[in-house]
């Protein structure tokens, strides 16, 4: 077996006790926060499989909420995340689900405020790593291992070309890209993993590109 670095052997720097149930869960929660773009006023958190059975003992609940509060996996404030959320007036509800999922450590998170909401599905794949597999009904595969930009757009000719032209003009290299849509000619989702974090000015430029409706980012 080959390892990319010593961290692949030792595991992530994190608040325990479990890399998959705590660190991975925190990454799922923080991805939801990053994509929503602000602190939510409420959260409905549905846990499946092993997450549902052991989330209190393994700290999955505090980890996800810590992520929603924008805490990193090694942030000691995660331990008190539930109390902090309550103090901030954020309404949190957990649901233990019995239905079968493709992965045992699965969470469906819906968050929102007075101005909007967001729903995603994330899985903790071990070693403190997580993947986002669904966003607002769009299927995707987002590892969080690299900075990424997600663009909801009209499924029209030229949308992808206008986005990639902007990234090329700013010399931003694309490491991975995928597009999904619910129905032909309706809304679609473009997911682009890049080699460096994207400045806010470039995100604003992307928002003005042809057929783009919404832009969000995941930072490294």
């Amino acid at each position: 077996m080959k390892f990319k670095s010593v961290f692949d052997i030792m595991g992530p720097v994190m608040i325990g006790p479990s890399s998959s149930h705590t660190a991975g869960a925190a990454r799922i929660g923080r991805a939801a926060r990053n994509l929503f773009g602000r602190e939510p006023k409420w959260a409905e958190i549905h846990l499946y499989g092993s997450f549902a059975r052991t989330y209190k003992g393994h700290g999955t609940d505090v980890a996800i909420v810590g992520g929603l509060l924008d805490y990193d996996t090694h942030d000691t404030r995660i331990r008190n995340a539930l109390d902090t959320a309550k103090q901030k007036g954020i309404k949190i509800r957990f649901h233990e689900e019995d239905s079968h999922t493709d992965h045992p450590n699965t969470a469906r998170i819906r968050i929102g405020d007075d101005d909007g909401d967001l729903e995603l599905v994330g899985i903790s794949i071990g070693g403190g790593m997580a993947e986002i597999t669904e966003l607002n009904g769009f299927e995707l595969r987002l590892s969080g291992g690299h900075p990424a930009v997600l663009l909801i757009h009209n499924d029209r000719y030229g949308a992808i070309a206008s986005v990639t032209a902007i990234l090329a003009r700013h010399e931003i290299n694309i490491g991975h890209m995928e597009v999904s849509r619910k129905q032909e000619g309706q809304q679609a989702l473009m997911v682009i993993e890049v080699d460096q974090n994207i400045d806010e000015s470039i995100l604003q430029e992307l928002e003005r590109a042809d057929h783009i409706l919404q832009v969000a980012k995941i930072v490294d």
Side-chain angles (χ1 to χ4, degrees):
M1 179 181 294
K2 295 181 179 180
F3 296 94
K4 294 181 180 179
S5 74
V6 66
F7 298 106
D8 294 325
I9 304 172
M10 296 175 63
V13 178
M14 65 174 197
I15 302 300
S18 167
S19 62
S20 59
H21 285 241
T22 311
R27 290 184 186 278
I28 296 171
R30 199 176 190 201
R33 166 64 182 266
N34 284 338
L35 293 169
F36 191 55
R38 57 193 181 273
E39 188 171 273
K41 288 188 176 181
W42 53 265
E44 298 283 342
I45 302 169
H46 299 257
L47 302 174
Y48 300 83
S50 181
F51 268 3
R53 292 190 298 271
T54 64
Y55 72 97
K56 291 183 179 179
H58 283 177
T60 305
D61 50 355
V62 296
I64 290 178
V65 175
L68 293 176
L69 294 172
D70 204 24
Y71 298 162
D72 205 345
T73 55
H74 55 75
D75 195 321
T76 57
R77 293 177 295 174
I78 283 179
R79 297 190 181 101
N80 301 312
L82 293 175
D83 291 335
T84 302
K86 186 176 181 180
Q87 292 167 7
K88 287 175 171 284
I90 303 173
K91 297 179 181 179
I92 308 288
R93 289 205 306 174
F94 287 91
H95 307 267
E96 302 170 22
E97 302 290 355
D98 295 327
S99 54
H100 175 76
T101 56
D102 292 335
H103 194 281
N105 298 330
T106 298
R108 179 181 294 273
I109 301 175
R110 185 166 174 258
I111 59 176
D113 59 16
D114 295 337
D115 296 320
D117 57 46
L118 173 147
E119 183 177 76
L120 64 71
V121 176
I123 59 175
S124 178
I125 58 177
M129 302 304 295
E131 289 184 355
I132 306 305
T133 60
E134 185 180 314
L135 174 64
N136 288 343
F138 292 102
E139 294 183 359
L140 70 155
R141 189 179 184 88
L142 181 63
S143 68
H146 294 87
V149 59
L150 292 82
L151 306 99
I152 295 177
H153 60 95
N154 290 319
D155 185 25
R156 299 289 189 275
Y157 174 84
I160 296 173
S162 64
V163 168
T164 55
I166 291 171
L167 296 179
R169 186 163 62 249
H170 291 281
E171 299 183 348
I172 295 173
N173 190 50
I174 296 174
H176 174 78
M177 178 177 179
E178 63 180 64
V179 179
S180 64
R181 62 186 182 183
K182 300 177 184 178
Q183 186 176 347
E184 183 179 351
Q186 301 299 313
Q187 288 188 3
L189 174 67
M190 198 184 315
V191 180
I192 305 174
E193 291 188 347
V194 295
D195 291 342
Q196 69 261 40
N197 287 321
I198 299 178
D199 292 339
E200 288 296 328
S201 60
I202 302 175
L203 292 176
Q204 293 171 6
E205 190 174 348
L206 290 170
E207 289 177 342
R208 297 191 296 269
D210 293 341
H211 308 302
I212 301 302
L213 304 174
Q214 185 178 350
V215 177
K217 69 175 181 177
I218 295 285
V219 298
D220 191 9

